[in-house]
Amino acid sequence: MNLRDTPEEAAFRAELRTWLDENLPEERRGRRGGEQRFGDDFGRDWSRKLYEAGYAGLTWPKEYGGAGAPYSFQAIFYEEMARAQAPSHVGVIGLGMAGPTIMAHGTEEQKQAHLSKILSAEEIWCQGFSEPGAGSDLAAARTRMERRGDVFLVNGQKVWSSFAHIADWCILIGLSDPEAPRYKGLSYMIVDMHSPGVEVRPLRQITGEAEFNEIFFTDVEVPAENLLAEEGQGWQVAMTTLLHERGTLGFALTAALEVGVDRLIEVARERANGDAVARDRVAQEWIELQALRYTNYRSLGTYQRTGIPGPEGSAIKLRWSEQNQRMTKLGRELLGAEGILDDGWWHYQQLRSRGNTIEAGTSEVLRNIVAERVLGLPKGR
Amino acid sequence: MDFALTEEQQELKSAARAWLSERYPLDRDFDAPQDDRWAELAELGWLGVSVSEEEGGVGLGFVEEALILEEMGYALYPGPYLATVGFALATLGPEERAAVAAGTTKWSAEIDGLVPWLGSVDEVVGMDGAAHDAGGEEVATVDPDRPAGRLAPGDGTSLAGSRDVARARAAMAAEAVGIAQRVLELAIAHVSTREQFGKPVGVYQAVAHQLSDTYADLELARSLAYWAAWCVAENDDQAAVAAAAAKAFAAEAAVTACERSIQVHGGTGFTWEHPLHRFYKRALWLHGTGSRPTALRAEIADAVIGAPVPA
C-alpha cells in the first residue's frame, strides 16, 4: 500500500501538466456540458491533439494506437484533466465501450479498421442499446436483424443514444432470431451510421440541450462481417460492453465530481461562510468525494494485482450519481437568490445531474446487481 | 500508486480473523466475563506491531494495526487493544512502548473527560499528555465491554510523545469498518434463508436494496479508513483531515449498517439473544466517543473552506 506516485508516475504527471498548460486554451477550461462537445469543431480537434500527444488510449496495446501504459497512468490522466478543467476526449463511447468490446470480441480486420481511428477521433461512435420497449431490460430488444445472404437487414428504433448525431459508427444490439429462447436470439454488430436508411433525431433534454438521440433503422443493409462474435451471441458481447461502461468509468466520474466540489467550496467560502449547517453539508460532500477517490484507487490496486477490478467498484457509479445530484443542488442552494438564475455552470450541472441515476444503469438496477452479484442474495427474477 | 493490501497485510488480516473467530465466536456467552487473552496477543506480536524490533516489537506500522482493529470490530473483541494501541501508544516513550509490546502494561487515554476501561488498564494518558494512575470507579456505557471512569485529580508523570488524535480516530474508524462488515454478513445470511410468502426475503427489493446500500457505505468507509491509516502511518500532511473524515463517515456507516441489519432480521434482530445488539452498541460507542460526526465535519470545513468569518 503506497499512495505516492512512483518515479515513472510522477514524471508522467509532470509531463502531462506541462502539456495541458501549453495546449489547452484558457477559454476552453470549465465549460458546461454539451457546448464543449458539440458546439463547433473543437471537440474533434482537441481529441486529435490528445491522441497525437499519446494521451488517448493510454492502456490500449501499442499495435492498436494505444500507449500500452499501466492503469495507474489512466487514473493520473483523469485526475490531471479534472484539475485543469479540460474537456474530455469526444470519443467517450468509442474509448469506453466500443473499443474494449472490439478488442475482446472483434476480428483482427475489425481491430485494424477501427481502434486507432477511435483514439484519433476520426471515428465517433454511439451506442444502440436502449429501445422504447427495452431500457433496463436490455434482453427485450426488438430491433430486427434479418440475415439475407451476405448482409443483415436492420429495422427498428433505438433511443437515448448519446453522440449519435455526430457519430460515424454504432455498436448495435438486436434480435436476429425471434424464435430463440430469451438472450439466445440477440446479435451484436457494428453499423456505419452513414448507411442509407439510418435516421437520427436529436432529443432535447431537460437542460435544453440535445446530447442524445433517437436512431431509426429502415431496411439498413449491414455486411455480415460486421457481426461481433457469432450470430446469437449478442448478449455475451453486450455484457462485455456494460462491464467496461461501469468498470472504467470511476476515475473519470470522480475527477468530474472533484471539479464540482472545488467550485462548491468556493461558493461556500463566498456565500455561506458563517452558516454552520451549510458548512456541515459541504464537508460531507468533500468526505464522500475522498471516499469515492480512494475506492477507485482500491479497485485499481486489485485490478493491477489480479487483472479483475475489485467488487467495490460496483458501488462507485451508484454513489457518484447520488452525490453529484446532492452536490449540484447544494451549490444552487448556497448561491441564494442567484441560484435560480440561468447563469451557466451550476444551473446546467444541477439539471443535467438528474440523468446520472438513470443513464448507464439506473440506480435500481445497480442495487440489484450489487445484491445479486456482489452480496450473493437470492435472485428475484 | 498502489492502494491494495500487500500479500503480507492480507496474511496478517486473515491470521487475525482466524485467531479471533476461534476464541471469540458469536455463539459465546457474552454476558459472562470475557478473557482478553493479553498474553497471547503479546506472544503473537500484535501488541507491538508498530513498535520497533529493538524495543521488542515487530517494526511494522499503523496500517497493519488498523487491519487488526478492523478484525477486532468484526469479532467484537472485548479487551482494551483500541485504548492501548490506538489511543495511548503514540504518546509513550521507548520503555513504555517495550512494556506494551511485551504485554506487561495496558494503557488507556482520557477522552472528553472520560477514560474507557479505567478499571482494567494499568496506566492512563491524560488530556495533559502525562501518565496517570488507572483504577477507580467505573460507570457502564452503551457498550457493556467498555465501561469508563474519571481520572483522580493530580499531576501525572510526563511522557516522551504527544497525544495523536488522528491515530485514535483512524483506529476507531477501522473498528467501525469491521462492525459494518460483520452485520452486513449476518443480514445476508438471514435474508438468504428466512422465507416468507414462499421465498427467501432477500429476493424482495425493499429488503435487498437496504443491503446494497450498506455495502456501498461499507466500501466507502473502508476506503476512508485505509486512507487515514496510511496517512497516520506515513505522518502525511493529510492525516488530520483523513482521520476526521474516516471517523465521521465510518461511525455513521457502522451505526446505519447495524440498524438496517436489525430491521431485515425482523423480530429476531430485536432480541437480547441475537448478537446484533452487541454490534449496534459498539457502533454507538464509536459514534459517541471522541468528537461526534458533526464536530469532525466542522473541523474539515475549517480545513477546506477556511475558518468561518462572522457575518
Side-chain angles (χ1 to χ4, degrees):
Chain A
M1 187 184 287
N2 187 356
L3 286 168
R4 298 207 177 92
D5 286 345
T6 63
E8 296 76 28
E9 288 165 349
F12 173 72
R13 193 187 289 277
E15 169 207 302
L16 172 58
R17 238 179 240 194
T18 311
W19 187 87
L20 285 169
D21 281 346
E22 287 168 359
N23 288 280
L24 178 60
E26 197 53 44
E27 71 276 10
R28 290 289 175 172
R29 293 171 192 254
R31 299 281 290 271
R32 65 188 233 178
E35 61 187 25
Q36 69 187 18
R37 286 175 177 167
F38 310 125
D40 47 33
D41 290 333
F42 178 78
R44 276 202 201 223
D45 293 345
W46 171 244
S47 305
R48 180 156 192 99
K49 258 187 150 169
L50 285 170
Y51 169 69
E52 283 165 356
Y55 295 130
L58 279 167
T59 59
W60 289 21
K62 285 188 176 159
E63 55 187 307
Y64 303 127
Y71 276 83
S72 59
F73 279 48
Q74 185 69 49
I76 289 168
F77 174 77
Y78 284 131
E79 286 179 354
E80 292 303 320
M81 290 283 280
R83 214 156 281 165
Q85 299 200 39
S88 56
H89 190 289
V90 72
V92 174
I93 308 285
L95 285 164
M97 289 183 253
T101 307
I102 291 170
M103 249 182 277
H105 297 283
T107 61
E108 194 50 39
E109 290 73 31
Q110 287 167 336
K111 292 177 193 174
Q112 294 297 347
H114 299 293
L115 292 176
S116 66
K117 288 184 180 169
I118 287 173
L119 298 180
S120 65
E122 276 169 83
E123 288 180 2
I124 305 283
W125 285 65
C126 66
Q127 181 189 18
F129 275 33
S130 291
E131 296 182 9
S136 295
D137 183 8
L138 178 61
R142 284 296 167 269
T143 291
R144 281 287 280 127
M145 297 171 168
E146 279 174 87
R147 183 123 200 180
R148 296 280 170 87
D150 292 343
V151 299
F152 282 87
L153 209 56
V154 176
N155 280 285
Q157 181 188 353
K158 291 290 174 179
V159 74
W160 319 133
S161 184
S162 301
F163 303 95
H165 59 301
I166 57 166
D168 306 295
W169 286 87
C170 178
I171 40 175
L172 186 73
I173 189 156
L175 192 59
S176 52
D177 182 2
E179 308 302 321
R182 192 174 150 88
Y183 304 112
K184 299 236 160 91
L186 299 170
S187 291
Y188 193 121
M189 54 178 57
I190 58 178
V191 178
D192 184 345
M193 290 291 282
H194 306 295
S195 311
V198 176
E199 189 199 344
V200 175
R201 290 185 205 157
L203 287 165
R204 227 171 150 195
Q205 47 198 53
I206 67 171
T207 56
E209 296 186 339
E211 281 183 281
F212 54 22
N213 307 271
E214 293 176 292
I215 315 174
F216 295 87
F217 297 90
T218 310
D219 292 332
V220 177
E221 288 190 6
V222 181
E225 63 257 30
N226 284 19
L227 275 173
L228 282 188
E230 302 296 316
E231 195 177 335
Q233 292 183 346
W235 181 257
Q236 289 87 318
V237 182
M239 288 305 104
T240 307
T241 306
L242 296 180
L243 185 76
H244 282 278
E245 179 177 38
R246 287 167 198 160
T248 56
L249 210 58
F251 278 98
L253 296 178
T254 306
L257 187 65
E258 182 166 7
V259 173
V261 171
D262 285 348
R263 282 180 179 241
L264 181 71
I265 287 168
E266 248 172 72
V267 172
R269 194 176 292 138
E270 286 161 18
R271 309 296 181 98
N273 187 287
D275 179 342
V277 176
R279 293 170 66 85
D280 184 77
R281 290 166 68 191
V282 171
Q284 181 68 29
E285 300 312 332
W286 185 89
I287 291 172
E288 291 219 28
L289 169 67
Q290 309 311 320
L292 285 174
R293 179 206 308 277
Y294 290 104
T295 303
N296 282 325
Y297 285 153
R298 278 205 299 130
S299 191
L300 176 71
T302 309
Y303 190 83
Q304 285 178 327
R305 261 156 221 269
T306 64
I308 305 160
E312 61 280 340
S314 56
I316 290 173
K317 194 268 170 174
L318 177 65
R319 294 298 286 254
W320 166 82
S321 58
E322 292 178 351
Q323 192 188 348
N324 200 39
Q325 293 180 343
R326 232 176 26 237
M327 188 275 292
T328 51
K329 204 150 52 162
L330 180 57
R332 193 197 274 283
E333 188 184 332
L334 294 188
L335 284 167
E338 281 174 40
I340 58 170
L341 300 178
D342 178 0
D343 66 343
W345 203 86
W346 284 105
H347 178 77
Y348 170 82
Q349 296 295 341
Q350 192 269 313
L351 291 173
R352 179 64 186 82
S353 75
R354 300 317 302 176
N356 298 157
T357 48
I358 301 167
E359 60 202 337
T362 66
S363 293
E364 291 73 20
V365 163
L366 296 179
R367 286 188 171 89
N368 284 346
I369 289 174
V370 169
E372 290 173 7
R373 299 202 201 141
V374 182
L375 305 183
L377 292 187
K379 273 187 128 140
R381 286 167 292 116
Chain B
M1 188 191 311
D2 177 14
F3 198 34
L5 299 181
T6 63
E7 226 165 272
E8 295 73 30
Q9 287 167 338
Q10 273 167 354
E11 276 168 21
L12 174 67
K13 196 166 185 285
S14 304
R17 169 79 55 101
W19 185 85
L20 286 158
S21 67
E22 195 176 301
R23 283 152 188 85
Y24 300 98
L26 275 198
D27 59 2
R28 67 192 192 259
D29 181 2
F30 281 96
D31 294 321
Q34 297 186 68
D35 185 350
D36 63 17
R37 298 176 182 272
W38 208 256
E40 270 186 75
L41 284 178
E43 203 162 304
L44 285 161
W46 294 348
L47 291 170
V49 169
S50 69
V51 176
S52 69
E53 290 179 57
E54 302 86 78
E55 292 165 12
V58 238
L60 293 170
F62 183 70
V63 173
E64 286 76 14
E65 287 170 338
L67 295 176
I68 294 175
L69 282 159
E70 182 185 332
E71 291 305 322
M72 288 182 165
Y74 183 90
L76 277 181
Y77 171 74
Y81 188 88
L82 173 71
T84 303
V85 171
F87 296 170
L89 189 60
T91 321
L92 309 183
E95 277 175 37
E96 293 114 359
R97 277 200 299 269
V100 166
T104 48
T105 328
K106 295 176 195 173
W107 284 80
S108 186
E110 188 181 19
I111 296 175
D112 296 335
L114 282 174
V115 180
W117 289 282
L118 180 70
S120 56
V121 297
D122 305 298
E123 304 236 34
V124 177
V125 178
M127 292 300 288
D128 55 5
H132 293 255
D133 291 337
E137 208 173 317
E138 285 184 324
V139 290
T141 72
V142 62
D143 183 342
D145 288 338
R146 298 185 169 183
R150 293 188 190 278
L151 279 184
D155 294 338
T157 324
S158 65
L159 287 163
S162 47
R163 290 172 62 102
D164 188 342
V165 176
R167 186 181 162 97
R169 288 171 175 173
M172 288 193 275
E175 272 202 343
V177 168
I179 290 169
Q181 173 80 49
R182 191 64 176 275
V183 299
L184 174 61
E185 288 177 15
L186 291 172
I188 292 168
H190 180 79
V191 306
S192 301
T193 50
R194 165 73 179 169
E195 291 195 4
Q196 286 291 276
F197 308 103
K199 291 175 183 171
V201 295
V203 309
Y204 304 114
Q205 290 176 324
V207 173
H209 287 190
Q210 292 191 56
L211 302 189
S212 300
D213 286 336
T214 293
Y215 175 76
D217 280 346
L218 165 65
E219 292 306 327
L220 264 54
R222 192 193 304 281
S223 301
L224 289 169
Y226 289 1
W227 172 44
W230 184 83
C231 288
V232 166
E234 296 289 313
N235 228 342
D236 191 84
D237 290 346
Q238 285 194 292
V241 282
K247 204 261 177 181
F249 192 92
E252 286 185 339
V255 168
T256 308
C258 291
E259 288 169 349
R260 291 201 192 106
S261 191
I262 290 170
Q263 178 67 25
V264 303
H265 272 80
T268 309
F270 190 61
T271 61
W272 186 267
E273 191 186 354
H274 199 285
L276 260 181
H277 70 103
R278 320 250 175 201
F279 288 96
Y280 185 41
K281 288 167 181 173
R282 182 147 305 173
L284 289 169
W285 187 93
L286 290 167
H287 190 273
T289 298
S291 302
R292 62 182 175 276
T294 47
L296 295 164
R297 287 194 290 270
E299 287 182 25
I300 287 169
D302 287 350
V304 302
I305 302 173
V309 177

